[in-house]
Amino acid sequence: MTSSVAESWTRIEAWLVDNAPSTYAKLAPPAERAAIATAEVDLGLTFPTALTESLLRHDGTAYGVLLPPFWAMLSTPAIAEAWRTRTHIHGQEPSDAEPSDAEHEYGPWWHRQWIPFAADGSGDYLVIDQRPTRKSGRIGDADHEDGCRFDPHPMWASLPRLLEMTATALETGDLLDCYERVVTDAELTWDF
């Protein structure tokens, strides 16, 4: 059974305090519920419970890498802005237009039912797939050039699973997929 978002955050925070205090210092304070509600209205989407719980714990990581291999979690306003930007670039294609199977490993360049929650600083986002399929809630890598890929590794099954597996990799030092935690000058990074 997957740990709760709160349990995973407690483990991540404890490890960061002891091992990567510079990264810990970049964790933002909690989001305001009103800000989350405003973002949901802007997007026309309800955030998944796990994302709301995470934002109420830390409203982003201030461009500090937390998730492997190089993802910084977005603040609530940054989530809304990233969604608006990608949606604007993508154009007015209807949200139900699917070039292929919605549960396939590769998705379109963008979909209005994806909620970006982490960025790599190069125009790519981790997204939570909110399309109503068996795989709703899975995480995809929305590349700014190649479209979205939904890796089958278990860490990408959901945000709770990603946080739990990140916490475990931090605590044990074991590889997470092919990523290894590294701390340099009290800052967390991940190596391949």
Side-chain angles (χ1 to χ4, degrees):
M1 177 173 230
T2 302
S3 299
S4 72
V5 168
E7 290 169 334
S8 294
W9 267 118
T10 297
R11 294 170 56 204
I12 291 167
E13 291 162 350
W15 189 87
L16 291 174
V17 165
D18 291 342
N19 299 281
S22 291
T23 300
Y24 178 77
K26 292 180 180 178
L27 298 177
E32 298 289 332
R33 285 191 183 274
I36 295 170
T38 297
E40 289 176 323
V41 169
D42 286 350
L43 275 61
L45 295 169
T46 300
F47 285 4
T49 301
L51 179 58
T52 298
E53 290 173 0
S54 183
L55 292 168
L56 290 172
R57 187 71 173 246
H58 294 289
D59 194 17
T61 57
Y63 300 101
V65 169
L66 178 67
L67 303 173
F70 38 64
W71 298 104
M73 296 183 77
L74 297 172
S75 67
T76 303
I79 289 170
E81 180 60 30
W83 185 90
R84 281 192 301 270
T85 299
R86 277 288 181 105
T87 299
H88 175 75
I89 292 169
H90 189 253
Q92 297 304 314
E93 183 175 326
S95 63
D96 60 352
E98 292 291 339
S100 62
D101 180 2
E103 295 183 2
H104 193 264
E105 182 176 340
Y106 294 94
W109 186 81
W110 185 249
H111 198 287
R112 293 171 185 270
Q113 291 178 302
W114 292 344
I115 300 175
F117 71 94
D120 68 357
S122 298
D124 301 336
Y125 297 99
L126 287 182
V127 298
I128 300 173
D129 188 358
Q130 290 295 100
R131 293 176 291 177
T133 70
R134 290 182 302 114
K135 296 185 178 182
S136 183
R138 68 183 172 160
I139 294 173
D141 177 353
D143 186 277
H144 70 281
E145 292 179 356
D146 299 327
C148 194
R149 180 169 186 265
F150 295 95
D151 191 312
H153 190 280
M155 70 190 269
W156 306 115
S158 67
L159 180 56
R161 190 75 172 126
L162 176 58
L163 291 173
E164 176 186 58
M165 292 183 81
T166 298
T168 299
L170 291 174
E171 292 168 342
T172 64
D174 293 342
L175 293 180
L176 178 51
D177 192 5
C178 61
Y179 311 117
E180 179 181 21
R181 66 162 164 80
V182 176
V183 176
T184 306
D185 298 326
E187 189 82 31
L188 171 68
T189 60
W190 296 86
D191 276 347
F192 292 88

